[in-house]
Amino acid sequence: MHKALAFDIGGTKIYSTIIDERGKLLEEPIKFATPKDIDGIKEILKGQIKKYEDEIDVVAIATAGAVNNENTAVIGSTGNLVEGYYTIDFQELSKKPVFLENDANAAAWAEYKIGASKGSKVSVMLTLGTGVGGGIIINDKILKGKSGAAGEMHFKMYPDHRRKCSCGSWDCYEAYASGTALKLTAEEMLNDKNVTTYDVIDGIKTGDARMQAVFDKWVNDITIGIMGLANIFDPDCVVLSGSMAQFVNPETIEDAVNADIVTTPTSIRIATAGNFSGMIGVALLALGGLDG
Amino acid sequence: MHKALAFDIGGTKIYSTIIDERGKLLEEPIKFATPKDIDGIKEILKGQIKKYEDEIDVVAIATAGAVNNENTAVIGSTGNLVEGYYTIDFQELSKKPVFLENDANAAAWAEYKIGASKGSKVSVMLTLGTGVGGGIIINDKILKGKSGAAGEMHFKMYPDHRRKCSCGSWDCYEAYASGTALKLTAEEMLNDKNVTTYDVIDGIKTGDARMQAVFDKWVNDITIGIMGLANIFDPDCVVLSGSMAQFVNPETIEDAVNADIVTTPTSIRIATAGNFSGMIGVALLALGGLDG
């Protein structure tokens, strides 16, 4: 059984574990705070690689940021990551092959291989977290685009500059459908700068009508975006992943989407591959997947 | 040299001609008004098929409406076409193979094989006409989705119900980026129900500042949609086709898109495969394409 040393490199945390070619975690994942410079990140990777290099076949890294089509490097910089991150030569860190993929793409691949979109010819995965990530799978391939950066969920919800997006532009889906966006929607609707995402989530549990209205608006914005993606991709399913996905009702969204779209009905599902789906997906990609 | 009897079936007109495997038109296309019932449509097809059946290899039909993944039938009904259109058994009309594709998909394929997106791994084509059509090509394949209906440009420009779309929903891209939409934008900005698309086009030619503002708003709406598509697909190029494409400046749109997107720069181009690109594209698909 082939094995990967897997990493998930995010803006605040780095996880690492060992994963086999069936997608099984062979060690309890360990967690590091993401260092503030690239040397610190390299040291963490090198430490784990030194420890496991002789027993693994490949180093598999799920990372924030777009990954090139050769799966060797991050292209360009992303707001969440340390300066110069894209200059890291990951292959020089190990004598075993090093394989990278964008974290959302990797998580979408895990859902496709062992999770909620298993068997789907065409699927769209959205990670609803601090931001919104996207991973699109078409006919057994991740949609990568000309440079590897496809699947960015930065399409606009308004054409006329209302909310600034983390990408530097205005009114992207991320700015309305993320966890951060739920707070912004609450601030706007309640005219209260101090309201938090947790206030909204707690409020809907205790039957607070104002918080329910905020939450419904946020779910409606999520739904509006899925309608567009469903008309563009005609997918078998849309999988909702990430820390915020647990709060939404996929059936409510599915009914609204299917009542609106011009393509044939799609299925809205909550992700099932778990919290480490990014590492599982990139390990499966790096190891050649379940189908060998 | 193999040859196709090609048709382009639209809501108001049907065209037909003979096209060879290089995409060359061998006859001057002839035009019919689209009959008001499916028997009338079948009669037109049968008349042409009877005339040419012995000298052609395949019947290739570009049509309004989504076409199934087997390229044999139109799925569901579309607003532009006669009732029951999707029930037509096209294959029974000829003893030669009959091959169908959606008109925008077919036109995108023509651009990819002999036109503006030739050589592009990933391209998005938008037809700006009465409505907005879409054809997306990824790694030498048309994006068809689970049922064949992918590429519908019905993603929303606002989440809050402003303009009704031809599809029955609200605020789709088509309702802001089509020729019909240019008239609606003019009506709204000028508070004049009688203003026409031609008034706007004439106005910008004669330096009318009010008409220029309307036109700029319409181009901005087109651009907003392309930004989203560029972030989703990371395409080599976006090709603008259809009767309204001649009025827009692709460089202006390209500069605005590339200043906004998080993916790598894309190229915006005007279509070059001509007015009969739908018939050319479906003939090339039916004949197996230029590459044999």
Side-chain angles (χ1 to χ4, degrees), chain A residues 204-222:
Chain A
I204 61 170
K205 286 177 186 160
T206 58
D208 181 329
R210 293 182 327 143
M211 293 304 181
Q212 187 66 50
V214 168
F215 184 79
D216 291 348
K217 171 72 169 72
W218 176 71
V219 170
N220 188 60
D221 283 342
I222 291 170

Side-chain angles (χ1 to χ4, degrees), chain A residues 228-250:
Chain A
L229 293 166
N231 280 327
I232 291 171
F233 287 101
D234 185 18
D236 295 282
C237 63
V238 177
V239 177
L240 302 178
S241 175
S243 57
M244 298 302 291
Q246 62 183 304
F247 303 115
V248 305
N249 180 342

Side-chain angles (χ1 to χ4, degrees), chain A residues 2-13:
Chain A
H2 295 299
K3 288 186 285 187
L5 169 58
F7 293 94
D8 189 339
I9 306 179
T12 56
K13 285 171 229 148

Side-chain angles (χ1 to χ4, degrees), chain A residues 1-4 19-24 57 283-284 287 289-290:
Chain A
M1 182 86 67
H2 295 299
K3 288 186 285 187
I19 297 177
D20 72 17
E21 66 192 55
R22 291 184 186 173
K24 273 213 180 297
D57 300 281
L284 292 177
L287 290 167
L290 294 177

